[in-house]
Amino acid sequence: MNSLRHGLLVLGLLVSAASWAGPAARCPPASPLPACLQQQAGLASCQDQTAANLPACLQQFTPPALCRRERDRAGCEQLAAAQQACQGTSGAARRQCVAGQLPPPACPPGQATGHCQDRQAALQQCGALFGSQRRQCLHLEMRKRQDDGSALR
């Protein structure tokens, strides 16, 4: 039963990603709507991905249509600006370009500065990745940065 639910969930995600992406491809160039332009930017970043990877890629690289409604408004605006700066590229090259345009997140007050700086460096290293690949990259980069060599003694 769980495999049936899992299969239906995956099918639903694929259908929703395909239907969500569909209108962006048909945006009239003469009257571009902000939401349509953002969807096109996300699709340009993720055009080389398989159906299984597409939802995670779109989630990370598609700016919301209205940044003023977002909790992280500054991050939303930075992603939109990065996508704008990377027009003319697509796929992996665009993801790399977008990641290079984004500033590292600010360290929250009260967090250890060294740990936060390590996390910023890891985020820069793994910026063009998404989904489980990004999480794995961040984990490995943080382990490298926090390894003091004691395991080798």
Side-chain angles (χ1 to χ4, degrees):
M1 188 66 168
N2 283 339
S3 63
L4 177 62
R5 286 184 182 168
H6 179 71
L8 289 173
L9 175 65
V10 169
L11 181 62
L13 286 172
L14 293 175
V15 168
S16 67
S19 65
W20 179 80
R26 296 188 299 265
C27 292
S31 61
L33 301 172
C36 187
L37 293 175
Q38 304 300 33
Q39 287 177 0
Q40 284 179 334
L43 285 171
S45 297
C46 301
Q47 74 173 20
D48 60 343
Q49 294 303 304
T50 64
N53 291 336
L54 186 61
C57 184
L58 290 172
Q59 181 181 6
Q60 183 167 330
F61 288 97
T62 304
L66 295 173
C67 288
R68 68 174 181 254
R69 291 186 179 178
E70 294 299 310
R71 176 175 282 160
D72 181 10
R73 184 177 181 170
C76 174
E77 290 169 348
Q78 291 167 347
L79 178 57
Q83 282 287 6
Q84 181 71 24
C86 296
Q87 280 186 342
T89 60
S90 62
R94 186 172 183 125
R95 290 190 303 276
Q96 191 67 39
C97 176
V98 168
Q101 297 285 322
L102 296 174
C107 292
Q111 189 176 42
T113 305
H115 177 76
C116 184
Q117 289 173 344
D118 287 344
R119 180 143 175 84
Q120 287 175 329
L123 284 168
Q124 291 288 16
Q125 184 70 29
C126 304
L129 300 174
F130 55 89
S132 62
Q133 290 177 337
R134 181 182 176 98
R135 288 187 298 274
Q136 183 179 17
C137 178
L138 288 172
H139 174 75
L140 293 174
E141 286 296 319
M142 289 301 289
R143 283 189 68 188
K144 276 195 263 181
R145 285 165 173 47
Q146 294 172 351
D147 184 11
D148 62 359
S150 61
L152 300 175
R153 291 183 199 149

